[in-house]
Amino acid sequence: MKNKYIFTAVMLCAIMFAGTLLTGLYVRHEQRSTKHMHSSGARQFRVVTSFYPMYIAAKNIIGDCDGVTLENLSEPQTGCLHDYQLTTQDMVKLSSADVFIVNGGGIESFLADVAAQYPALTIIEASADVQLIEDNAHAWMSIPDYMTQVSTIAQGLSGQNAVHEEYYEKNCQEYLSRLDTLRQRQQELAAAHRGRSIVIFHEAFDYIARDCGFRVSAVLDLDEERQVSAGEAADLLRHIREDHADLILAEERYGKRMCESIQKEETVKAVYLDTCVRGDYTADSYLNAMEENLEKLEEALESV
């Protein structure tokens, strides 16, 4: 029986080794193939983004630019990439990419592995010029910070693909102009409600709270694995009562149950906002999502 277990273990190790070896050989084959295509002038300039908000930013800058292709590393419904594991398909995409656009700040936990695996790959970190909130890298949730990210991406693409620099800059300025309209609308909201005490159930909303001038009384970063203890719930209720918080910013997918529980104890308005990490691939999706977020906030603030 012992020999049987040893044999099984050896076979599993052999299978794992063979899988890793074949994956490596396949990726190297793809790298050689794409380099050959590049030297012959037949291959387009290839841009890969790490996840949804970076893809939408790049899409608005690249537009329908001839000779440039844009792909997203993860599926559009993946959400944040805190625990994302690179797939073989991801590795193939990166092996043929000229530029990899990431958010940075720790969102892409696999970034060090990518840099080590593809040392020649240019990585554009969109948050490089953003002042992040402590260890919270959800900068795209701040309209002004997202505007900075868009500018950083455009500059990075122009540096690596100078032939289209004017086109990138034109598209960038047009997108920034539309984003600025939203930013001004948010500033008007902030001017009317600055200092209001709120609670947030997702750390991404720290950026919205800061931009709107809200005072965050308590934070619960909820996701599919987060279990809230009775003690945490009691502390949350205490903060709401002591600070007279009357608004909760939450993501409906993970926060609705907790919001309903709190509302049984206190009169507080729950506003379910979009974290802008999922959606379709249309260029206006971020603008539409953030506009809807502002509309929900404005409506809620009128009623509390």
Side-chain angles (χ1 to χ4, degrees):
M1 183 66 70
K2 183 177 180 181
N3 290 336
K4 180 180 179 181
Y5 288 142
I6 293 174
F7 176 77
T8 302
V10 169
M11 289 299 296
L12 287 173
C13 290
I15 292 170
M16 291 174 63
F17 175 78
T20 302
L21 178 62
L22 289 172
T23 297
L25 289 173
Y26 179 57
V27 169
R28 282 194 288 273
H29 170 73
E30 289 294 312
Q31 288 176 314
R32 286 195 296 269
S33 298
T34 53
K35 285 180 180 178
H36 174 72
M37 292 172 66
H38 182 69
S39 64
S40 69
R43 190 177 69 86
Q44 294 189 325
F45 184 76
R46 298 177 63 86
V47 179
V48 175
T49 54
S50 59
F51 72 131
Y52 191 68
M54 297 301 101
Y55 176 89
I56 298 303
K59 184 178 181 68
N60 277 276
I61 296 164
I62 294 170
D64 58 358
C65 187
D66 186 41
V68 182
T69 61
L70 174 64
E71 293 182 275
N72 197 39
L73 191 68
S74 59
E75 290 302 316
Q77 302 302 321
T78 299
C80 282
L81 298 180
H82 298 294
D83 300 313
Y84 186 76
Q85 299 294 319
L86 291 174
T87 66
T88 301
Q89 185 179 11
D90 292 334
M91 294 171 67
V92 172
K93 285 182 181 179
L94 290 171
S95 73
S96 61
D98 294 289
V99 167
F100 183 34
I101 299 172
V102 302
N103 180 80
I107 290 290
E108 295 89 356
S109 58
F110 52 77
L111 198 54
D113 293 336
V114 170
Q117 183 78 17
Y118 308 103
L121 177 62
T122 296
I123 298 176
I124 298 174
E125 187 171 341
S127 295
D129 295 323
V130 173
Q131 185 66 45
L132 299 176
I133 299 176
E134 296 180 356
D135 296 326
N136 182 347
H138 297 74
W140 67 90
M141 290 302 294
S142 162
I143 297 172
D145 285 349
Y146 182 70
M147 292 172 69
T148 299
Q149 290 185 313
V150 169
S151 294
T152 297
I153 293 170
Q155 291 169 10
L157 289 174
S158 294
Q160 296 299 313
N161 190 219
V163 67
H164 296 303
E165 180 177 0
E166 291 185 8
Y167 188 79
Y168 293 148
E169 180 62 20
K170 173 180 174 292
N171 287 348
C172 176
Q173 292 306 316
E174 289 177 355
Y175 192 40
L176 289 176
S177 177
R178 299 179 69 192
L179 288 167
D180 192 54
T181 300
L182 273 183
R183 183 187 64 82
Q184 292 178 38
R185 180 175 173 180
Q186 188 177 57
Q187 286 182 327
E188 293 174 3
L189 184 150
H193 299 280
R194 192 173 303 279
R196 180 180 292 274
S197 182
I198 70 164
V199 172
I200 62 175
F201 285 176
H202 194 299
E203 64 177 353
F205 301 141
D206 257 330
Y207 284 90
I208 289 180
R210 182 200 64 187
D211 292 347
C212 290
F214 298 148
R215 184 165 57 88
V216 179
S217 297
V219 178
L220 282 180
D221 192 23
L222 302 179
D223 58 31
E224 68 272 20
E225 298 178 355
R226 182 76 155 85
Q227 298 295 322
V228 179
S229 68
E232 286 178 309
D235 286 341
L236 179 63
L237 284 169
R238 178 174 57 81
H239 282 296
I240 289 173
R241 290 162 182 160
E242 290 178 354
D243 296 339
H244 305 289
D246 54 9
L247 201 67
I248 300 174
L249 305 187
E251 185 181 25
E252 186 169 12
R253 180 179 301 204
Y254 305 124
K256 187 172 184 179
R257 181 177 297 179
M258 189 64 192
C259 285
E260 291 174 344
S261 176
I262 294 298
Q263 287 173 321
K264 292 177 181 178
E265 303 291 335
E266 291 294 326
T267 302
V268 58
K269 186 81 172 181
V271 185
Y272 299 113
L273 302 179
D274 191 336
T275 56
C276 301
V277 294
R278 297 177 176 86
D280 57 35
Y281 278 100
T282 58
D284 288 347
S285 62
Y286 177 88
L287 286 164
N288 293 337
M290 290 303 286
E291 183 175 22
E292 186 174 346
N293 282 346
L294 285 176
E295 288 174 354
K296 288 180 177 179
L297 278 172
E298 289 165 349
E299 181 180 349
L301 290 166
E302 288 176 0
S303 63
V304 293

